[in-house]
Amino acid sequence: MRISEMSSPSPPPPATSKDSQSHSYSLLLSQIESSIRQLEHLSPDAETEIDKSLLPSISSDLRQSLVQLSQFHSINNGLKLHIWKLSFRLWNACVDLSNASSFLLLRSSHSAHHLAHLRHVSADLLSLAGDVSGVPSPSIKSASFYYKTGLIWHDLRNFDLASTCFVRATDLVSNLVPDAISGAAERKLLLDLNLARSRTAWDVSDRNLALALLNRSKSLLFGSSEHYQALASQYLTFGKSLLSKNETSSQASSEALKFMNEALDLCEKGLGLGFGAVDLSELRSKTLRFISAIHLQKGDYESVIKCVRVLRESDKRGDNNHPSLPVLAVKAWLGMGRYGEAEKELKGMVVNQDVPEGVWVSAVEAYFQAVGTAGAETTKQVFLGLLGRCHVSAGAAVRMAHRVVGDGCGGPDREVGTSSNVRAKVVAELVSDERVVALFAGDTAAKERMAMHAVLWNCAADFFRSKDYGTSAEMFEKSMLYITYDTESKILRAKGFRVLCLCHLGLCQLDQAEEYINEAEKLEPNIACAFLKFKIYLQKKDQDGAITQIQAMTTCVDFTTDFLSLSAHEAVACRVLPVAVAALLSLLDFYAHGKSMPTAEVVVLRTIVTILSQEPGNEMEVLKFVKCAHNRATELGPDLFFGVGEVGRRERNWFAVTSWNFGTRTGKENNYELCAEFLRLASVFYGLLVDVQVEENNVMVCKSLVLTISAMIASESQRKATLSDSEVKQAVELLDRAGKILKSISTGPRLNDDQIITLEPDLFFIYTFSAYDIQGRLNDLAAQQLLVKSYASSKACNPKHLLQIGLSASQGPRSNPEVATFALNECLSAFLSSLSPDYQNIAVVLRKLIAVACIQKGGADDDAVYGVYKQAYQIMVGLKEGEYPTEEGKWLAMTAWNRAAIPVRLGQNETAKKWMKVGLEFAKRIPGMETYRAFMDDFVDGFQKKFPCAE
C-alpha cells in the first residue's frame, strides 16, 4: 500500500461490545508485533542479503495499523504499556539495522528513508500511548523520540518531516509543568529542540524564524556553560554559512558579522560563569578569528589588528600561535601599507615551526603580491628561511613551489620582467638546491617527485606559450632534476630534451638545440626527434642535411606521412624551397605504391608547382610536374585523380590556368619550346573542363592548340633546326582538333561568328597562319590556297593579317606565289576600301605584288608586272602631295624606268618606251624627282629621235 493510501484515515470501527473492542485491540497489537518481529529478524547477524522490498512493506503495514489503532478513544493502562514496549522494540530494531555493517549499502540508498519512516512510526506509537502509570516522564521520552527522528529527517534533507517532528516534540514538552523539566537533561532537550528548529528554518531559507528561535533560546540557557556554548556555536555556524555561500556583498558580510558578535557575546557571558571555560575559550578564539577574517574581507584592517592583539594577549593556552593569526596580521598590515610590520610578521613565521607550510606560503604570496619588486630582497631572505625548513617533507616542498609559481605563470598577457619571471627565478633557485633535491630521492617520494616535475613542467610550458623561451628553458632544465635515471624514465627524459631543443630553437641557439636533440634521440629515437633535427638543418640553411633528414624520417617506426607535409610547410616558411619540394617528392612516392593517403595526390602536385613557381628559372621543373599530373590523370582517370563535383572542377581549372600562364610567360620570353609544351598541356586540362563547365572553355582549348602550333613553328629559328616529321605529324593532329573546335564554335547555337571575333579577334588568323605553314611543309599547295581563301572570306579577316600571310607566302623556301598574290590583292582591296586608307601599307602591298609577279611570271608575262605599276599609278592619281609615301613613289618611278634598260639593249623599242613612259609619269607626281625627270625627258627625246618609229 502506498503512503498516500495508508495516510488516509480508516472509517471508525462499528460499535461493539467491550469484549469485541478488546479483541480488536489485541488483533491490531498482534499485527504490529508481527511486523516488528519481522523487522527484528533483519538483524545485524543476518548472513543473507537484505531484501530491500521488505522495509517499505513493513513501514506500510505499521503505518496502517497505527492509523487503525488511533481510531479507538480509550486505551487501558495495560494496553498502553504494551504499546510502549512495542515502540521501544521498533526503535531498537531500527537502531540495530542502522548500525549493522551489512546495512551500509542500504544506509546510502533510498531505504534509509524507510528506516526514518519506521522511527517516525515508533515515535507516533509512543505518543499514542500517552501517559503510562509506572513510567517516569513519558512525555519527555516521547519528545526525545520525535527530536531524534527529526534530526534523522534533517540529515536526509526532508525538512518538512523534520519540522513536523520538532514541532510535535516542542508541543509535548511545552505542556509540561515547570517541575517536570527541572532536570539538566530535560532543559538540554528544550534548548536542543529550539536549535534544531532554528537549523531547519535556516535550511529552508526562513531566516526570520531561525533568528527568532535563536533569540528564544537565550531564555533556555539556565546558567549552563554547555548551553551557552551550544547557542554560541549555532550563531557561529550561521555566520560561517553566510560566508561560505560566496556572498561577497557588504550586506552578507555585515549579517555574518552580527551572528559572530552574538556568538562572541555568548562566549563572554559563558566564561563569566566560572566553569567550562576551556571549551568556551576555544570557541571564543575561533569566533574572534572569523570576525578578523570578516573585517579583512571588508577592508577594516585596524579591526583585524585589534582582534589579533586580543587573541594574543588573552589566550593563556598558547593558541596565540594559531597559524591563521600571523597570516591575518600580515594581510592586515599589507592592507594598511605598513610593509615593515608585515615583514616582521613574515620573518616571525619563518622561525615559528608550528606554522604550517601552506599557511606560510600563503602569507608570502600575499606579501610578494602587495610589495612586488620593491620587496625582492626580503622575498629572497624569506625563501632562504624556507630552504632551512624544507626537510619536513617532499610534499611540503611541492606545495610551496606550486603556491609561489602560481597558475598560468607565463600566460599570453604576461609582460617580460613581471612578477611571473621573478617567481620563476625564485622557484628555480629553490628547486635546484641540493637539500631540496635530496628530499625527493628514493621510491617513497616517487609521487611527490612526479608532482614537482609537473609543477615545473607546467610553468615552463606557460612561458613557452608566451614565447619567453629563455625562462622556459631554465624551468624545463630544473624539471629534469626530478626525473630519475632508471629505464622507466627514459621516455620522460627524452621528452624533456626535446622541449629543451624547441626552446633553444626559439632562441636561435642552434648548436645547443642540436646537442639536446641528439641526447633525446639516444634515449628514444622516434619521428619527433628526426623532425626536430630536420628543423635545425632548415634553420642552418643546410639544404643537403635537411633533404637527407627527410629520408631518415621515413625510416622511423612511428613515421606518418603527415610529417612530410609538415616538413614542406616548415621549409616554405624558412624559404628553403628545394627542401620543400624534396619533402613533397618523398610524399609522392607513397602515392605511386597505391597507399591510402589523407591528402589527395593532386593537392601534393599542385603544391609542388606552386612552390616552384615562387622562384624564376624553374620552368623546366614546373613542366615536369605538370606533365606528371597529366600522366597520373590519364592513368587513374580524371575523376579519381582530380575529384568530382566542384572540387574536381577547381583542380582541373587550376592546372589549366597554370599551364596557360606559364605558356604565355615563356612565349613572351621567346622560350618557344617550353611555351609549346605548356600550351599543349593547357589544351588538355581545358579539355577536361568542357564536360563540367560552360562551353567557353572550348575557346581556351582551341586557343591553346593554335598557340602550341605557333610556338612549335617559332622554335625552329630559335633552335636552328627544322621540325621533324613526327613533330609535323603532331602539329597536323593538333591543327585538326583546333579546326574542328573552331568549326563547332562558329556554327554552334551558343556563340555566333561576331561573338567569337569579339572574344578572340586573332584566333582565326593565328590558326590560319600556322595551318598554312604546316600545309606548306606537306607541299599541299591547294590546301594552302583554300585555307587562305576561307580566312579572307570570314568576318574575322583583317587586312593586316592578310598582308602578313601574303608576305610569308611570297618568301622563303616554301613560298606560294598564288597564295601570296591572292592574299596581297585581297589585302589591297581591303585597304583601298577603307575610309582612311593606309597608304604606307598599300605601298608595301604594291611593292610585294610587283616582286611576286616578277618571280611568278619571270620574263614570260611582262604585262602582269606592268598592270601592277599601272594600278599603283591609278591609286596615286588624285592624291595630295606627300599623301602617298615619297620613298615608295620614287621606288616605283626608278624601278619602272630601269625596267626599260634591257628592252633598250635588246632593241625592243616599244617595250622600252612603255616602261620609260611609266617611270616618267611616276616621276612627274613624286616631289623631289625634278632632276630625275629632266634627265628622263632628255633621254626620251633622244630615244625618239634615234628611233622615230617607236611612236
Side-chain angles (χ1 to χ4, degrees), residues 28-204:
L28 286 173
L29 293 177
S30 296
Q31 293 175 354
I32 293 174
E33 186 172 6
S34 175
S35 297
I36 294 174
R37 190 179 300 111
Q38 189 179 7
L39 187 65
E40 288 174 336
H41 287 166
L42 304 174
S43 65
D45 299 330
E47 295 181 359
T48 60
E49 185 179 355
I50 297 175
D51 188 356
K52 299 180 182 180
S53 64
L54 287 177
L55 289 179
S57 176
I58 295 171
S59 177
S60 175
D61 293 343
L62 286 173
R63 177 59 65 182
Q64 186 177 15
S65 299
L66 178 62
V67 171
Q68 293 177 1
L69 189 62
S70 65
Q71 304 299 318
F72 296 99
H73 300 291
S74 60
I75 305 175
N76 59 43
N77 192 69
L79 291 175
K80 289 183 178 180
L81 184 60
H82 192 190
I83 295 172
W84 186 278
K85 293 179 180 179
L86 290 175
S87 173
F88 269 83
R89 284 179 61 189
L90 177 59
W91 184 271
N92 291 335
C94 291
V95 171
D96 290 340
L97 283 175
S98 298
N99 296 332
S101 59
S102 62
F103 200 67
L104 288 175
L105 180 60
L106 285 176
R107 291 178 63 187
S108 61
S109 67
H110 68 282
S111 297
H113 290 266
H114 295 295
L115 274 181
H117 277 295
L118 289 172
R119 288 177 185 264
H120 204 153
V121 171
S122 175
D124 288 341
L125 280 172
L126 205 61
S127 176
L128 180 64
D131 295 336
V132 182
S133 300
V135 177
S137 304
S139 296
I140 294 296
K141 288 184 173 58
S142 180
S144 176
F145 270 34
Y146 275 117
Y147 169 68
K148 294 176 181 178
T149 303
L151 292 178
I152 293 173
W153 281 125
H154 189 276
D155 291 340
L156 294 174
R157 310 297 294 173
N158 193 331
F159 300 120
D160 290 338
L161 289 178
S163 179
T164 300
C165 291
F166 293 145
V167 170
R168 182 69 179 132
T170 302
D171 290 341
L172 288 171
V173 298
S174 297
N175 295 328
L176 297 177
V177 295
D179 293 338
I181 55 174
S182 58
E186 289 81 359
R187 291 178 177 178
K188 184 66 166 62
L189 179 61
L190 280 175
L191 179 62
D192 289 343
L193 279 172
N194 271 279
L195 295 180
R197 289 183 64 195
S198 176
R199 285 193 297 272
T200 303
W202 183 270
D203 286 333
V204 296

Side-chain angles (χ1 to χ4, degrees), residues 1 75 131 141 186 251 292 307 324 338 445 483 520 546 620 660 698 713 741 755 771 807 872 888 929 933:
M1 182 181 296
I75 305 175
D131 295 336
K141 288 184 173 58
E186 289 81 359
Q251 182 179 359
S292 299
C307 289
S324 65
R338 298 175 64 175
I483 303 176
M620 286 295 296
W660 172 264
N698 280 331
I713 296 170
I741 296 173
Q755 289 175 310
L807 292 175
E888 291 296 326
M929 294 194 70
R933 190 173 58 195

Side-chain angles (χ1 to χ4, degrees), residues 541-676:
K541 304 298 182 182
D542 184 355
Q543 294 187 17
D544 295 336
I547 294 173
T548 303
Q549 192 61 30
I550 290 173
Q551 300 304 319
M553 281 194 288
T554 59
T555 62
C556 293
V557 177
D558 54 344
F559 166 77
T560 63
T561 55
D562 292 336
F563 280 94
L564 291 177
S565 301
L566 186 59
S567 300
H569 284 294
E570 290 287 337
V572 171
C574 295
R575 302 303 300 169
V576 189
L577 301 186
V579 176
V581 174
L584 294 176
L585 282 175
S586 297
L587 185 59
L588 281 179
D589 292 339
F590 292 92
Y591 293 95
H593 296 103
K595 185 177 179 180
S596 177
M597 303 290 285
T599 305
E601 183 178 5
V602 66
V603 175
V604 178
L605 284 168
R606 171 163 49 82
T607 306
I608 292 176
V609 172
T610 302
I611 293 172
L612 291 172
S613 302
Q614 295 181 18
E615 290 185 351
N618 289 331
E619 288 79 7
M620 286 295 296
E621 290 295 313
V622 172
L623 178 62
K624 171 184 173 183
F625 290 106
V626 173
K627 281 185 176 180
C628 181
H630 170 249
N631 295 335
R632 291 294 288 168
T634 304
E635 294 173 10
L636 303 176
D639 288 344
L640 188 59
F641 179 74
F642 291 109
V644 296
E646 181 63 19
V647 174
R649 189 199 68 78
R650 289 180 179 176
E651 293 292 351
R652 290 173 170 91
N653 186 69
W654 189 90
F655 276 96
V657 172
T658 300
S659 300
W660 172 264
N661 290 340
F662 269 96
T664 54
R665 183 193 307 171
T666 52
K668 291 176 182 178
E669 295 171 355
N670 298 329
N671 193 343
Y672 298 117
E673 287 190 70
L674 284 178
C675 173

